[in-house]
Amino acid sequence: MIIAIDGPLASGKGTLARALAAHFGFPHLDTGSIYRATALALIKKGIDPNNKEEAIKAAQNLDMFNIIDSELRTAQVGAGASVVAAIPEVRKALFDFQRNFAANPKGAVLDGRDIGTVICPDADFKFFVTARPEVRAMRRLKELHSAGDNITLEELTAQIIERDYRDANRADAPLKPTETSIMLDTSDLGIDEVIKKATGIIESNG
Ligand code: C5P
């Protein structure tokens, strides 16, 4: 069984993906981490993520099996990830790894922006997770502050608006639900309720 989970940043899709993977015993891939790792490889070398040629090279040379998560969660890396993710050749370089992951005979849960539309269009379940922008901003602010990033709410809100716009309006694989996506608005739900809802949908239709 393949479970595809898409949605904008801090919508709760990552938490839901991890919980569903644990519940059903499936491997999980946070596909944002490979875009973040591509951006980080550039940032570490002092290269602007807008440098298309270098971004493509970074994606092609990425060691996807050795990504160190602790370095990826800053606002700077997230913003850079969204820039490199708009480059079609970067997406192409990262495609096979994601497809192979999804082909695991044990099943798989993948979360990202284009899982239901591009990576796993035949997924058994496609969730599109959303939350109101102000709720997402407060969630992400808490995460970044506890990770030692001192970004302000105003700066973060501006970044979220910019990132949402770029992710939803790029020509290649924009963030959008499919006709069969199950919409989940997590704004007013606790994480346990979200997990219960999604698990219930899968178990009653599986
Ligand atoms: O989900 P996360 O915030 O880690 O993703 C970082 C960026 O990577 C997103 O803003 C998006 O531009 C890009 N991304 C993507 N497709 C995916 C996953 C992430 O374009 N499947």
Side-chain angles (χ1 to χ4, degrees):
M1 182 196 290
I2 298 176
I3 303 173
I5 306 181
D6 290 300
L9 108 171
S11 55
K13 65 180 187 312
T15 311
L16 176 62
R18 283 189 296 277
L20 290 179
H23 183 87
F24 293 105
F26 297 157
H28 164 231
L29 181 65
D30 160 13
T31 63
S33 67
I34 56 180
Y35 291 92
R36 285 173 179 264
T38 303
L40 181 65
L42 297 168
I43 292 167
K44 272 187 168 171
K45 287 191 200 153
I47 300 170
D48 186 336
N50 284 295
N51 184 327
K52 203 174 151 187
E53 212 172 293
E54 290 293 334
I56 296 166
K57 255 195 253 166
Q60 287 170 343
N61 293 325
L62 191 67
D63 178 0
M64 290 171 231
F65 296 98
N66 284 305
I67 291 174
I68 301 164
D69 193 79
S70 62
E71 295 179 310
L72 300 179
R73 305 286 147 202
T74 66
Q76 188 198 12
V77 173
S82 159
V83 171
V84 299
I87 303 168
E89 294 90 337
V90 166
R91 307 198 71 82
K92 195 164 166 259
L94 305 177
F95 182 84
D96 285 348
F97 175 73
Q98 297 174 79
R99 277 293 269 257
N100 290 340
F101 189 95
N104 191 319
K106 282 192 205 139
V109 180
L110 291 88
D111 72 274
R113 302 292 188 289
D114 63 340
I115 308 304
T117 51
V118 176
I119 304 295
C120 303
D122 298 327
D124 301 86
F125 293 93
K126 296 180 185 179
F127 290 98
F128 195 86
V129 186
T130 58
R132 291 189 296 275
E134 65 275 18
V135 175
R136 295 193 283 119
M138 284 311 296
R139 283 180 188 161
R140 185 47 57 96
L141 192 73
K142 273 192 206 152
E143 283 171 15
L144 289 173
H145 281 185
S146 60
D149 190 326
N150 286 327
I151 192 164
T152 65
L153 182 60
E154 290 68 32
E155 283 169 324
L156 183 62
T157 305
Q159 279 190 14
I160 287 179
I161 291 169
E162 191 184 332
R163 183 121 79 95
D164 281 355
Y165 183 84
R166 199 185 296 122
D167 287 350
N169 291 283
R170 65 186 175 215
D172 191 15
L175 170 66
K176 61 173 184 203
T178 70
E179 272 176 19
T180 57
S181 296
I182 301 154
M183 305 299 288
L184 273 181
D185 187 329
T186 67
S187 304
D188 302 310
L189 296 176
I191 185 60
D192 289 345
E193 289 171 286
V194 176
I195 295 166
K196 206 171 151 198
K197 218 171 168 177
T199 311
I201 291 169
I202 295 170
E203 284 175 344
S204 57
N205 292 283

